[in-house]
Amino acid sequence: MSYQERIRQARPQMSKSFAKLADFLLDSYIEASFMTATELAHELNLDAATVVRFSQHLGYSGYPELLREIREHVKVDLMVRPVKAQDPQSIPGVVAGAMRELRET
């Protein structure tokens, strides 16, 4: 089951903090793919431990495991739009470039 399916399935019973995280990860997953748990928490005015607990609530061992799946989703998105990913001025191009930089560090 994908992280999106896990979120949608669990969403109705989530606390306000978890729902805030869920909505952000569904709507802004590209932005989230570049964020640590601390950065994500800061963006949403939450505690970093909440991000970790949210990930565990969805069945992941922690945020890094969830983040890997989100990044894989972004990568697949880019593969679906390879022509756009070649243009460094397009959103897929910017994301592709940033992901290359992440791999090189």
Side-chain angles (χ1 to χ4, degrees), residues 2-102:
S2 73
Y3 80 92
Q4 299 103 319
E5 292 168 325
R6 292 179 191 208
I7 289 173
R8 287 185 184 107
Q9 184 178 21
R11 177 72 173 78
Q13 294 82 31
M14 287 183 180
S15 67
K16 285 184 181 183
S17 296
F18 278 17
K20 192 180 216 184
L21 270 164
D23 294 344
F24 187 83
L25 293 177
L26 289 173
D27 298 337
S28 304
Y29 65 94
I30 292 174
E31 185 178 352
S33 73
F34 296 100
M35 296 178 163
T36 65
T38 302
E39 292 167 337
L40 179 57
H42 180 74
E43 176 73 21
L44 299 175
N45 200 26
L46 301 170
D47 189 271
T50 302
V51 176
V52 174
R53 284 193 307 274
F54 173 83
S55 303
Q56 292 169 338
H57 178 76
L58 294 178
Y60 297 97
S61 60
Y63 182 69
E65 187 181 0
L66 172 58
L67 183 59
R68 274 192 294 281
E69 190 172 326
I70 293 169
R71 286 180 176 170
E72 188 60 33
H73 179 72
V74 170
K75 191 164 102 178
V76 168
D77 246 11
L78 291 174
M79 299 311 272
V80 170
R81 297 179 249 163
V83 174
K84 287 185 179 181
Q86 298 301 321
D87 177 4
Q89 300 302 316
S90 70
I91 291 175
V94 169
V95 172
M99 291 186 80
R100 276 192 299 277
E101 288 178 25
L102 280 174

